[in-house]
Amino acid sequence: MAFDFEKALRRKIDQHTKLVERKNRRVKDGNGIFDRWESPVLTASHTPLFWRYDLDPRRNPFLQERLGVNCVFNAGAIEWNGKVCLVARVEGHDRKSFFAVAESDNGVDSFRFWDHPVVMPETEVPDTNVYDMRLTAHEDGWIYGIFCTERKDPQAPPGDASSAVAQAGIARTKDLVKWERLPDLKSQSAQQRNVVLHPELVRAATRSTPGRRTASSRRGRAAGSASPCARRWRRRRSARRRSSTRRSTTRSRRSRTGPAPRAQDPKGWLHVAHGVRNTAAGLRYVLYALLCDLEDPSRVVARPSGFFLAPEGDERVGDVSNVAFCNGAVMKATGEVFIYYASSDTRTHVATTTVDASSTTSCTPRRTRCAPPPAWSRGWPSSTAT
């Protein structure tokens, strides 16, 4: 039976259009802190067909996929020109990644990729792989993207093609189209993946975000985890660890920063970070929230005892199972917060909350006494009553 190219192409176009235009629905009966949404906002199938297929019947008579996309995940996020834009990590079948921008009017569905992926300039040392961009609209007028750049480990033994050195690459843009590459963040670590830029300056100098992976900017210069405020934060964190043997998500195998912090009125800067813990089934990644002082963002003023969000249901299954990872969030002027998280290194989801709800959960005391049952529940008949 002869292959009908036009019929097969129409079917693929219809399927792609139906997927992109699908309306997302809020999951009912949430936990009061955030709402999940039923469908992922970005998957490998959301990428344009002409990226993956040569649509010329003469060159590709059987409509075979030429450049396969494995997954779309770990997206940076920003509100831009009235739309929510995600700079997603698009990973091919060759396991190499590139950045691409997808936009949506409402931030929860109908994300469409721009026609062309991001063309990221390189430094003098070419990148082997790039991924996981965190976006910051800085007060200096630039949009900064800090991402992981991997290069071959120069000290790897002959024949070792997998060892890599990971550093924090820095680029800036005015329109998410044309990017200017800056020097990498200076670091003493050979594995510097999770770095985010603070959106403001501190005392006319630099303002660092808390955590082992931090960065700040002034006049094109970058200061990372070697900055004084970052060192102070690490010393305080080490002291807290020594002073308590209690384990939690925020005191786990490792904790890393997520998207750019968001100002929360007088309460502080709200951060979403991921924590990693060893389990009998392997490493488990979850998200948690914390607040930092407005004037001294290296000082943590509130942190919860447990996670904010963990993978559930189908989110547990993927290339790297049991993982929730976030490096993008958008806070709108209305107080709505959109948290974009990847599940199991495969797809991108959204969770929505509000400023009040998200900051309240990060300020929740570690131990709270259970409240007595409400008055209306007293006097209910027992299960044995007839």
Side-chain angles (χ1 to χ4, degrees):
M1 184 176 182
F3 179 77
D4 191 332
F5 181 93
E6 294 298 330
K7 182 178 180 180
L9 179 57
R10 285 196 301 270
R11 184 167 59 250
K12 289 187 180 297
I13 292 175
D14 290 343
Q15 292 172 347
H16 184 266
T17 302
K18 183 178 179 180
L19 173 67
V20 171
E21 295 180 352
R22 177 181 61 189
K23 296 301 180 183
N24 215 346
R25 293 188 295 180
R26 194 187 309 266
V27 176
K28 296 180 179 179
D29 301 323
N31 59 8
I33 302 172
F34 65 87
D35 291 318
R36 273 183 161 89
W37 292 73
E38 289 184 354
S39 303
V41 296
L42 285 179
T43 66
S45 297
H46 280 79
T47 55
L49 290 174
F50 59 86
W51 288 6
R52 295 177 278 144
Y53 295 88
D54 184 345
L55 302 183
D56 188 329
R58 294 171 299 175
R59 295 191 300 263
N60 190 17
F62 298 104
L63 199 58
Q64 296 174 334
E65 189 177 48
R66 299 301 198 196
L67 296 174
V69 173
N70 183 52
C71 43
V72 177
F73 60 117
N74 293 6
I78 192 170
E79 191 173 15
W80 176 250
N81 290 337
K83 299 179 182 291
V84 173
C85 291
L86 303 183
V87 178
R89 172 183 179 179
V90 182
E91 183 184 271
H93 285 181
D94 61 355
R95 313 300 295 183
K96 300 301 181 183
S97 301
F98 59 89
F99 297 121
V101 180
E103 68 176 25
S104 165
D105 291 331
N106 58 20
V108 297
D109 55 30
S110 300
F111 275 93
R112 288 184 180 272
F113 278 100
W114 292 359
D115 284 349
H116 302 286
V118 170
V119 178
M120 181 60 64
E122 293 186 314
T123 62
E124 295 178 356
V125 183
D127 309 303
T128 301
N129 201 13
V130 293
Y131 52 84
D132 299 359
M133 182 182 288
R134 292 158 169 87
L135 293 171
T136 300
H138 200 270
E139 66 177 2
D140 66 5
W142 288 92
I143 299 172
Y144 288 86
I146 303 188
F147 53 93
C148 177
T149 168
E150 282 189 352
R151 302 179 178 96
K152 181 174 175 58
D153 186 353
Q155 299 181 357
D160 184 351
S162 60
S163 296
V165 175
Q167 292 297 307
I170 306 174
R172 63 182 183 178
T173 180
K174 294 283 189 176
D175 55 10
L176 302 179
V177 177
K178 185 178 180 180
W179 293 79
E180 176 188 357
R181 186 72 177 264
L182 302 176
D184 294 347
L185 180 72
K186 300 300 182 183
S187 171
Q188 298 178 354
S189 172
Q191 301 294 325
Q192 187 74 287
R193 282 184 173 85
N194 300 289
V195 178
V196 64
L197 182 73
H198 202 282
E200 294 183 2
L201 307 177
V202 172
R203 303 182 188 92
T206 60
R207 184 170 231 172
S208 296
T209 60
R212 294 179 62 189
R213 303 290 183 258
T214 66
S216 57
S217 171
R218 185 189 184 206
R219 298 177 183 175
R221 297 181 181 181
S225 55
S227 63
C229 56
R231 288 198 298 269
R232 289 198 301 273
W233 191 88
R234 287 202 301 276
R235 286 198 295 269
R236 282 197 291 272
R237 186 175 66 174
S238 297
R240 285 195 295 271
R241 282 180 171 173
R242 289 192 296 268
S243 64
S244 173
T245 58
R246 184 167 177 266
R247 288 186 58 81
S248 70
T249 299
T250 57
R251 294 174 183 171
S252 54
R253 180 184 177 97
R254 59 178 178 265
S255 300
R256 298 292 185 262
T257 187
R262 311 291 166 177
Q264 297 297 300
D265 300 323
K267 297 178 182 178
W269 292 94
L270 176 66
H271 290 258
V272 176
H274 66 268
V276 187
R277 172 171 289 184
N278 244 333
T279 72
L283 296 179
R284 180 183 189 231
Y285 281 65
V286 299
L287 307 181
Y288 63 92
L290 56 93
L291 278 175
C292 295
D293 185 74
L294 279 175
E295 298 302 320
D296 181 6
S298 68
R299 186 170 71 88
V300 179
V301 297
R303 70 166 70 196
S305 60
F307 61 76
F308 173 79
L309 182 149
E312 291 184 356
D314 292 342
E315 297 173 354
R316 297 177 183 269
V317 181
D319 267 19
V320 184
S321 296
N322 212 12
V323 170
F325 187 96
C326 174
N327 54 290
V330 168
M331 179 187 298
K332 295 197 172 184
T334 59
E336 294 177 287
V337 180
F338 296 74
I339 300 171
Y340 297 95
Y341 66 98
S343 68
S344 299
D345 281 14
T346 302
R347 59 198 79 83
T348 304
H349 305 260
V350 64
T352 54
T353 182
T354 63
V355 168
D356 291 338
S358 57
S359 59
T360 298
T361 187
S362 63
C363 296
T364 302
R366 287 193 173 93
R367 294 185 180 274
T368 56
R369 182 174 296 175
C370 293
W376 52 261
S377 70
R378 297 168 193 161
W380 274 3
S382 65
S383 59
T384 57
T386 57

